[in-house]
């Protein structure tokens, strides 16, 4: 159990710095904020892409393996299912990356129509991700039973929320005031 806690803390230490850095950033004038947003836009998008493509998936799998506490027979059934789930989630994340890049490219000239389009795509992504998790809950349940399937969903949902929080904390909020 100590190893599980250590992995959680390591994962949280990896995921949370952006949140704290953004909260502790010094206040800036409106002009400085605008320049910072423009300069940071590409950096934020690249960091998101790096996050999705980096060791997060490996760390997720390590946390999942530790917290699931599977015996060898259960692990032999679970990991192939999880790998299929992760491959499908990666494809969905590609849609999310494209939507975030579209948002970043249009941030300074965001219109009502574009904002509506981007949010609808983001909500569709969330719906598809929830459906994917439900689909794999059923697969894990059929293979390992409802208790292990519930544990899988709880762990995966918490990990996805942590990742979402990091990603969303790095994105600029659209403003109602636009510069000329």
């Amino acid at each position: 159990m100590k190893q599980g806690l250590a992995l959680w803390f390591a994962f949280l230490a990896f995921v949370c710095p952006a949140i704290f850095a953004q909260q502790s950033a010094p206040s800036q004038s409106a002009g400085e904020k605008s320049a910072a947003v423009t300069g940071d836009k590409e950096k934020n998008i690249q960091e998101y892409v790096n996050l999705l493509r980096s060791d997060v998936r490996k760390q997720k799998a390590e946390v999942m393996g530790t917290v699931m506490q599977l015996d060898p027979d259960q692990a032999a059934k679970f990991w192939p299912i999880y790998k299929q789930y992760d491959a499908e989630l990666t494809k969905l994340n590609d849609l999310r990356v494209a939507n975030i890049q579209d948002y970043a490219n249009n941030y300074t000239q965001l219109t009502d129509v574009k904002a509506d389009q981007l949010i609808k795509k983001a909500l569709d992504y969330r719906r598809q991700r929830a459906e994917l998790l439900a689909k794999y809950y059923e697969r894990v349940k059929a293979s390992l039973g409802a208790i292990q399937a519930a544990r899988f969903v709880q762990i995966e949902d918490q990990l996805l929320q942590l990742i979402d929080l990091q990603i969303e904390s790095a994105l600029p909020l659209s403003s109602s005031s636009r510069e000329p």
Side-chain angles (χ1 to χ4, degrees), residues 39-102:
D40 289 341
K41 177 176 71 173
E42 291 302 318
K43 180 181 173 190
N44 287 345
I45 298 304
Q46 190 57 47
E47 287 299 317
Y48 174 71
V49 171
N50 290 342
L51 174 69
L52 286 177
R53 305 285 187 247
S54 72
D55 287 340
V56 170
R57 286 198 309 244
K58 180 182 175 192
Q59 290 177 348
K60 274 182 58 192
E62 289 174 10
V63 170
M64 182 67 69
T66 300
V67 180
M68 286 291 291
Q69 301 174 352
L70 301 169
D71 65 34
D73 291 336
Q74 292 171 320
K77 294 175 185 176
F78 175 77
W79 288 112
I81 296 169
Y82 187 80
K83 286 179 184 173
Q84 290 172 350
Y85 163 78
D86 191 52
E88 288 188 48
L89 181 63
T90 298
K91 289 178 186 175
L92 270 180
N93 285 337
D94 290 343
L95 298 174
R96 187 178 192 187
V97 167
N99 197 44
I100 289 173
Q101 287 174 330
D102 194 11

Side-chain angles (χ1 to χ4, degrees), residues 14-19 51 161-170:
F14 174 77
V15 171
C16 294
I19 298 164
L51 174 69
Q161 286 179 36
L162 287 170
I163 293 167
D164 287 347
L165 185 59
Q166 181 184 17
I167 292 164
E168 291 170 13
S169 71

